[in-house]
Amino acid sequence: MQLSTYFLSLQNPPSLSYRHRLWHHSLSKRPFRHKRICSLTNSADQRSSELVTTLQSETLKTLEWPSLCNYLSPFTSTSMAFSLTKAAAVPVGQSREESQKLLDQTTSALHALEALKSEPLDLSVIEDVSEILHSAASGQVLTVRELCRVRRMLGAARAVSEKLAAIAEGGSLERYTPLLEILHGCNFQLELERKIGFCIDCSLSTILGRASEELELIREERKRNMENLDSLLKEVSVSIFQAGGIDKPLITKRRSRMCVGVKATHKYLLPGGVVLNVSSSGATYFMEPKEAVELNNMEVKLSNSEKAEEMGILSLLTSEIAESEADIKYLLDRLIEVDLAFARAAYAQWVNGVCPILSSKESEMLISNGTDNALSIDIEGMQHPLLLGSFLSNSTDFIASNSMGPSVLGNKSGEMTPIKSSKVVSNFPIPIDIKVQCGTRVVIISGPNTGGKTASMKTLGLASIMSKAGMYLPAKKQPRLPWFDLVLADIGDSQSLEQSLSTFSGHISQICEILEVASKESLVLIDEIGSGTDPSEGVALSTSILQYLKNRVNLAFVTTHYADLSRLKEMDPQYENAAMEFSLETLQPTYQILWGRTGDSNALTIAKSIGFDGNIIERAKMWVESLMPEKQQERKGVLQQSLMEERNRLEAQFKRAESLHAEIMKLYHELRSEAENLEERERALRVKETQKVEQELNAAKSQIETVVQEFENQLQTANSEEFNSLVKKSESVINSILKAHQPGDSFSFTETDTSSYQPVSGEQVHLKGLGNKLATVVAASEDDDTVLVQYGKIRVRVEKSNVRPISSSQRNNAISSRQSFERQGEQSREVPSNSDATESGAITYGPLIQTSKNTVDLRGMRVEEAEIQLDMAIAARGSNSVLFIVHGMGTGVIKERALEMLRNHPRVMKYEQENPLNYGCTVAYIK
């Protein structure tokens, strides 16, 4: 009764309250004139809103926003977010605050991806239950499987929230606050989830007996009744079998009643029995024994009662879901926001995107007051997102292998894995710089056809929409641009035969609608403004349109071939000119924007490169000269070409200086890391040397004590004649022990010898600044009193006064080793490939300093393994760099193979030993 009353209340909503009836009554008594004014106002607002929606939709289609959203869809995990991206229905901020919130969510999701590398977040288990909620709200009783789907969704949503909260507690809370705020205030319906789990076994899709006391009693009674019925039928079937009435005992169900099988000729064995069915051959009757009729009636009754009770339980659970429909739908919407935030983060990693800064009018004014060259739009190195997405999807199998639907980024368990940055180094698509100064309201781009004017304009439009949607931009540094409330574009051919519109009429109609809805915060993009009509009228109309836009929009970007429009900047600083660069050497566009410049169309040059008739080109040039007196266009082209060459030269010098600076800083950091452990190694060496001296001292003492002990023992048994001989013998042994442990003549040179000492290349010396450590002379300077020495992996130039020679014996060994090295060097110079490589002395390879970054150690490897490691090391080195190959001496197999590879490798310019006394290391110079 309670259930029926509840569903009745759902079908018949309550009537309006007294206050509502009074309000409607007061509206009905208003004068007709007021109603008409309101209707006219609402009609105008509705038309304006519809026009804005139509223009925005056309602009998104023109800028190919749906195609960009398709590149976002493989990164989604739920079917709901996947459908939104496929339909290009991703959320776009309707205010600067909303867009900034979306960007913050993307940044927070990026941090979460990094933090969840070991345990990825699983969003794929979140199912779309919107249809189930609609069915429940419309009064349909949900099935067991539908209830289980709702329970799984609620559990998965709660797990996502708990996991995000866990990583926020383990790290910086501020990083994950934007993500946590999405799910803040959501009702996860924990009580409803528990009720469904208590009543239903979702693994078996059955209703549990504990769901209600009545259901449990019904099932227990039905179980007892079935046991009695089964026992009775077994007895009857066995008796029939024993009487020959059936080949084997048979118990079955016919017409929802339990019965036994009996031959047609023996049905008399069941007097009073009811025939429920007959086999197809007619030889077997399926009969219900007279004694089983009452038990079968009870089974049918209990079965119906069980189904009714189960239906009541399903109805109760369905009603609770219907009551929670709004909360569950809100939870689903928030989960879609989380999925889209992670999708935007994964896309940002894929394109190496950077977070844009959305500037406001206030911040723009502050920036403009601080400097004269302040920029309202500062985007550096922006690549067209669609061209970049196409390139990345073709260069990697990422999109191709993950474009089948939701959860495509999941692993085998369906968990979402973080996407690594593509790191694809390429100049395609060519990055462009978009830099617009504060106060500029109209940018006029001129230049040749196929020069990239339209593509650059579309890039700005997509960058604006991506920023509003919370997406990172494929650019360098941190781009800055205003938040635009509307992005309106007139690009392409607007011709319509159905509406009897020509190309010019189509453009003008589109521009007219744009002017009607544009506001002070809008971005307007117009391609080939004023084209398709008489040039003089086209210039006049275009000038008027631009002057109108200047005072009514935030920024307008227009492309044109009219040179007169570029002169508007001379009259008003709110205009800015830009040109697309065109190389007169290659007769090809470079797709770079030259800000503050006016560009030539280069129509004659392009026509000539295509293969146009030369006579036509020459006549056209004559017409150009006659239409442009004093050859102003030619002088302007020459000036522009010279400026372009100067700019290219300065850019090349800047890139070279930047490269050298990066190389020097890299080397500085490597040397700094190597030198940090120098003092620690020196202390360890001193401790080791001290321990060695102590060990030698203890050994000498032990030997002397042994000699003295032997002398005392022999003295007790010796006579007076042997006494002197024993003394001399013991003294001789002790002298030999002392001589063996006496330090060498390392410091035998006097100061006068040191002052006249001239170090030789390859000789080992002591360095005073390093605690008299041994180092090797690399080169001695004849012009000044310095010498280049090598200590370990570090080469440094020191003064000769800080160098002290080693002992005579050590110096003789060093000289012999150096001579041996010189002989080997003469043999290596006989190799043709190596001698050829040394001819290019103009190339600089930087300082020869060995660090862990430029060293490959082949010792202990097999020949095959050493080949692979050496080849990988050469491939990893940059141009004009050095590589230290440590192969050791050993049997010489690794060294021979390494030298052979260096001799034949196309990237190796030359190679040589690291220093004259070390044959176990070779230095290779990489092209």
Side-chain angles (χ1 to χ4, degrees):
M1 182 63 68
Q2 292 177 353
L3 287 174
S4 60
T5 304
Y6 173 77
F7 284 113
L8 184 61
S9 66
L10 284 179
Q11 295 172 0
N12 299 314
S15 59
L16 292 174
S17 64
Y18 174 79
R19 181 179 296 177
H20 289 104
R21 291 199 301 270
L22 181 62
W23 182 73
H24 283 287
H25 179 70
S26 64
L27 284 179
S28 63
K29 288 190 173 182
R30 290 178 182 176
F32 177 78
R33 181 175 59 85
H34 292 170
K35 293 173 64 178
R36 181 173 181 179
I37 292 175
C38 292
S39 64
L40 290 175
T41 303
N42 293 336
S43 176
D45 292 342
Q46 183 179 0
R47 180 184 178 279
S48 177
S49 177
E50 291 176 354
L51 182 58
V52 169
T53 303
T54 301
L55 289 176
Q56 277 288 83
S57 177
E58 292 176 356
T59 297
L60 294 178
K61 185 177 179 181
T62 300
L63 298 179
E64 301 177 85
W65 173 250
S67 299
L68 182 60
C69 292
N70 282 337
Y71 285 121
L72 188 64
S73 60
F75 299 98
T76 58
S77 297
T78 63
S79 60
M80 299 165 286
F82 181 80
S83 301
L84 288 177
T85 53
K86 280 296 183 182
V90 296
V92 178
Q94 299 303 310
S95 65
R96 181 181 175 276
E97 290 72 21
E98 289 184 13
S99 297
Q100 188 60 52
K101 184 178 180 181
L102 292 173
L103 286 171
D104 293 341
Q105 291 174 2
T106 305
T107 304
S108 182
L110 273 170
H111 293 311
L113 284 179
E114 292 296 327
L116 292 170
K117 282 184 178 179
S118 57
E119 298 180 3
L121 189 65
D122 189 3
L123 292 171
S124 61
V125 294
I126 298 175
E127 303 180 49
D128 184 6
V129 295
S130 55
E131 291 295 331
I132 298 176
L133 297 176
H134 177 72
S135 299
S138 62
Q140 300 180 20
V141 179
L142 301 181
T143 63
V144 172
R145 293 184 181 275
E146 289 174 335
L147 289 170
C148 289
R149 286 183 61 188
V150 174
R151 178 176 178 267
R152 283 195 300 270
M153 188 279 296
L154 293 175
R158 180 170 45 81
V160 168
S161 177
E162 291 174 353
K163 198 158 192 177
L164 290 177
I167 63 170
E169 292 177 0
S172 176
L173 181 61
E174 295 180 356
R175 285 187 170 187
Y176 308 104
T177 299
L179 274 181
L180 296 176
E181 287 180 349
I182 298 177
L183 297 177
H184 179 70
C186 289
N187 186 355
F188 293 96
Q189 298 293 329
L190 183 60
E191 189 64 28
L192 176 60
E193 180 189 350
R194 290 175 178 173
K195 283 184 179 179
I196 298 175
F198 181 81
C199 296
I200 298 176
D201 184 355
C202 289
S203 60
L204 300 177
S205 297
T206 57
I207 299 177
L208 298 173
R210 65 188 183 187
S212 70
E213 295 180 0
E214 188 174 353
L215 178 62
E216 191 171 9
L217 292 175
I218 291 173
R219 287 183 175 178
E220 289 178 357
E221 187 176 353
R222 185 182 179 190
K223 181 180 179 182
R224 289 193 298 270
N225 185 72
M226 280 298 298
E227 289 176 354
N228 296 332
L229 180 59
D230 187 61
S231 176
L232 174 63
L233 293 177
K234 283 183 180 179
E235 292 179 2
V236 173
S237 64
V238 170
S239 63
I240 293 174
F241 171 70
Q242 292 175 350
I246 195 71
D247 294 336
K248 61 179 181 179
L250 175 63
I251 300 175
T252 184
K253 179 181 282 190
R254 290 292 187 273
R255 298 182 183 178
S256 301
R257 302 177 71 86
M258 301 299 296
C259 58
V260 296
V262 62
K263 292 181 180 179
T265 56
H266 290 71
K267 70 174 184 177
Y268 62 87
L269 295 175
L270 297 175
V274 180
V275 178
L276 299 177
N277 203 352
V278 182
S279 66
S280 59
S281 63
T284 303
Y285 280 20
F286 299 100
M287 299 182 65
E288 179 183 9
K290 180 180 180 181
E291 298 81 1
V293 172
E294 194 64 32
L295 293 175
N296 265 326
N297 290 340
M298 180 60 69
E299 168 61 21
V300 173
K301 179 181 177 181
L302 292 175
S303 176
N304 292 334
S305 299
E306 182 181 9
K307 290 180 181 178
E309 186 63 22
E310 288 178 348
M311 184 59 65
I313 293 170
L314 294 178
S315 299
L316 284 173
L317 294 175
T318 301
S319 65
E320 292 202 17
I321 290 178
E323 291 177 355
S324 306
E325 178 194 13
D327 290 339
I328 298 176
K329 281 187 174 180
Y330 180 80
L331 177 61
L332 277 177
D333 292 339
R334 301 290 78 76
L335 290 171
I336 293 173
E337 283 190 38
V338 173
D339 190 13
L340 289 175
F342 276 100
R344 295 194 299 268
Y347 174 82
Q349 289 182 332
W350 187 52
V351 299
N352 296 326
V354 292
C355 182
I357 299 176
L358 296 176
S359 60
S360 60
K361 287 188 176 180
E362 292 76 10
S363 62
E364 185 177 336
M365 291 177 63
L366 290 174
I367 294 173
S368 62
N369 292 334
T371 175
D372 295 335
N373 297 321
L375 300 176
S376 63
I377 297 181
D378 186 5
I379 304 177
E380 184 174 339
M382 176 77 179
Q383 295 177 291
H384 194 289
L386 291 178
L387 297 178
L388 179 61
S390 176
F391 170 75
L392 292 178
S393 61
N394 291 330
S395 60
T396 63
D397 58 351
F398 183 81
I399 293 294
S401 62
N402 294 299
S403 58
M404 60 190 73
S407 302
V408 293
L409 298 181
N411 52 25
K412 293 182 179 179
S413 62
E415 295 177 339
M416 184 178 62
T417 55
I419 305 304
K420 293 184 177 180
S421 176
S422 59
K423 301 297 183 185
V424 177
V425 179
S426 174
N427 292 327
F428 183 85
I430 297 175
I432 63 172
D433 298 337
I434 303 176
K435 298 179 181 291
V436 180
Q437 292 186 359
C438 295
T440 299
R441 292 291 172 259
V442 178
V443 176
I444 302 171
I445 305 179
S446 56
N449 293 312
T450 71
K453 298 190 300 296
T454 305
S456 301
M457 191 163 54
K458 284 186 174 182
T459 301
L460 175 61
L462 283 176
S464 304
I465 300 175
M466 290 173 69
S467 302
K468 292 179 65 176
M471 297 177 66
Y472 279 26
L473 304 183
K476 298 177 182 178
K477 298 182 180 179
Q478 195 165 24
R480 175 189 296 273
L481 69 164
W483 183 87
F484 300 107
D485 61 347
L486 294 175
V487 179
L488 306 170
D490 174 42
I491 301 174
D493 192 355
S494 300
Q495 185 185 63
S496 175
L497 298 179
E498 294 179 358
Q499 301 178 13
S500 301
L501 292 177
S502 64
T503 300
F504 177 76
S505 300
H507 278 297
I508 293 301
S509 299
Q510 183 83 354
I511 294 174
C512 180
E513 293 176 347
I514 289 175
L515 297 179
E516 183 178 345
V517 301
S519 70
K520 283 286 188 179
E521 295 185 354
S522 299
L523 171 65
V524 176
L525 309 173
I526 303 178
D527 188 26
E528 300 294 350
I529 186 171
S531 61
T533 187
D534 179 77
S536 58
E537 294 184 355
V539 170
L541 182 60
S542 300
T543 304
S544 181
I545 292 173
L546 294 182
Q547 288 178 347
Y548 182 88
L549 285 173
K550 177 191 66 175
N551 300 319
R552 286 170 175 81
V553 298
N554 188 320
L555 183 65
F557 256 67
V558 298
T559 65
T560 184
H561 286 286
Y562 295 144
D564 294 335
L565 295 182
S566 301
R567 300 191 182 98
L568 292 174
K569 181 182 179 181
E570 301 174 1
M571 299 179 290
D572 193 336
Q574 296 185 71
Y575 293 93
E576 181 59 82
N577 292 327
M580 301 306 299
E581 185 180 26
F582 186 84
S583 175
L584 297 178
E585 297 178 357
T586 62
L587 301 181
Q588 294 292 330
T590 63
Y591 304 104
Q592 296 295 328
I593 303 178
L594 304 177
W595 294 96
R597 304 269 293 279
T598 57
D600 298 329
S601 295
N602 292 298
L604 301 182
T605 305
I606 295 174
K608 183 178 181 180
S609 65
I610 292 175
F612 231 79
D613 187 273
N615 294 328
I616 298 177
I617 301 297
E618 291 300 325
R619 291 193 185 98
K621 288 181 179 179
M622 294 173 60
W623 276 104
V624 169
E625 292 179 358
S626 62
L627 293 174
M628 301 185 67
E630 301 178 2
K631 300 183 179 180
Q632 294 180 4
Q633 189 70 13
E634 181 180 354
R635 290 200 298 270
K636 188 170 73 171
V638 173
L639 178 60
Q640 177 181 351
Q641 180 65 18
S642 63
L643 291 175
M644 288 169 55
E645 292 176 355
E646 180 66 16
R647 190 202 66 172
N648 294 336
R649 185 181 65 82
L650 293 176
E651 284 183 353
Q653 292 180 355
F654 172 75
K655 291 180 180 179
R656 177 60 179 166
E658 192 176 37
S659 174
L660 289 176
H661 179 264
E663 184 178 353
I664 291 172
M665 291 304 298
K666 180 180 178 182
L667 184 59
Y668 165 73
H669 289 301
E670 291 180 3
L671 289 176
R672 185 174 180 181
S673 62
E674 294 283 348
E676 283 179 354
N677 298 326
L678 188 60
E679 294 182 359
E680 183 178 349
R681 292 199 300 267
E682 183 179 358
R683 286 195 299 269
L685 186 60
R686 286 179 178 176
V687 172
K688 184 177 179 181
E689 292 291 336
T690 303
Q691 292 176 352
K692 183 177 179 181
V693 171
E694 290 178 353
Q695 290 175 359
E696 292 182 357
L697 182 59
N698 293 333
K701 287 181 178 180
S702 177
Q703 292 175 3
I704 293 174
E705 288 176 358
T706 303
V707 173
V708 172
Q709 186 65 33
E710 290 180 357
F711 173 73
E712 291 176 352
N713 293 337
Q714 292 176 1
L715 189 60
Q716 293 177 0
T717 59
N719 53 30
S720 58
E721 296 178 356
E722 297 175 348
F723 178 77
N724 292 330
S725 62
L726 289 175
V727 171
K728 292 180 179 180
K729 181 180 179 182
S730 299
E731 289 179 350
S732 176
V733 173
I734 291 173
N735 289 332
S736 62
I737 294 173
L738 293 175
K739 187 175 182 181
H741 291 281
Q742 189 176 13
D745 56 348
S746 301
F747 307 98
S748 60
F749 280 85
T750 63
E751 292 296 330
T752 56
D753 296 330
T754 304
S755 61
S756 61
Y757 170 68
Q758 291 295 332
V760 182
S761 176
E763 183 180 3
Q764 286 191 328
V765 294
H766 289 286
L767 296 180
K768 294 181 181 180
L770 291 177
N772 293 322
K773 301 298 181 183
L774 279 177
T776 304
V777 177
V778 178
S781 176
E782 298 179 357
D783 299 334
D784 53 9
D785 293 333
T786 61
V787 59
L788 180 63
V789 298
Q790 178 165 345
Y791 173 66
K793 296 181 179 180
I794 302 176
R795 293 189 178 186
V796 64
R797 186 170 293 278
V798 298
E799 295 181 358
K800 291 181 180 180
S801 59
N802 292 328
V803 175
R804 194 161 47 81
I806 61 177
S807 63
S808 301
S809 58
Q810 291 177 330
R811 185 165 65 253
N812 293 333
N813 293 335
I815 292 174
S816 61
S817 300
R818 177 164 50 84
Q819 292 174 351
S820 175
F821 170 76
E822 290 174 354
R823 288 193 298 270
Q824 182 174 347
E826 292 175 358
Q827 295 176 1
S828 64
R829 283 191 293 270
E830 294 175 1
V831 181
S833 61
N834 197 18
S835 61
D836 295 339
T838 58
E839 292 178 0
S840 58
I843 301 177
T844 58
Y845 293 91
L848 279 175
I849 298 178
Q850 184 177 0
T851 65
S852 57
K853 301 291 182 63
N854 61 4
T855 303
V856 57
D857 194 346
L858 307 179
R859 292 176 296 183
M861 299 182 183
R862 295 187 176 182
V863 176
E864 295 78 7
E865 185 181 0
E867 289 178 356
I868 297 173
Q869 292 295 329
L870 180 56
D871 188 63
M872 292 174 60
I874 295 175
R877 295 300 297 167
S879 300
N880 299 334
S881 60
V882 295
L883 177 65
F884 290 82
I885 302 101
V886 181
H887 44 67
M889 298 301 294
T891 60
V893 177
I894 297 294
K895 177 180 179 181
E896 291 178 0
R897 181 53 185 153
L899 294 178
E900 182 181 353
M901 289 184 65
L902 295 176
R903 187 181 304 115
N904 300 324
H905 201 286
R907 290 200 64 201
V908 177
M909 177 66 73
K910 62 179 181 178
Y911 61 90
E912 61 187 14
Q913 299 298 136
E914 180 195 7
N915 61 64
L917 299 180
N918 186 3
Y919 299 107
C921 180
T922 300
V923 183
Y925 296 83
I926 309 302
K927 294 181 183 179

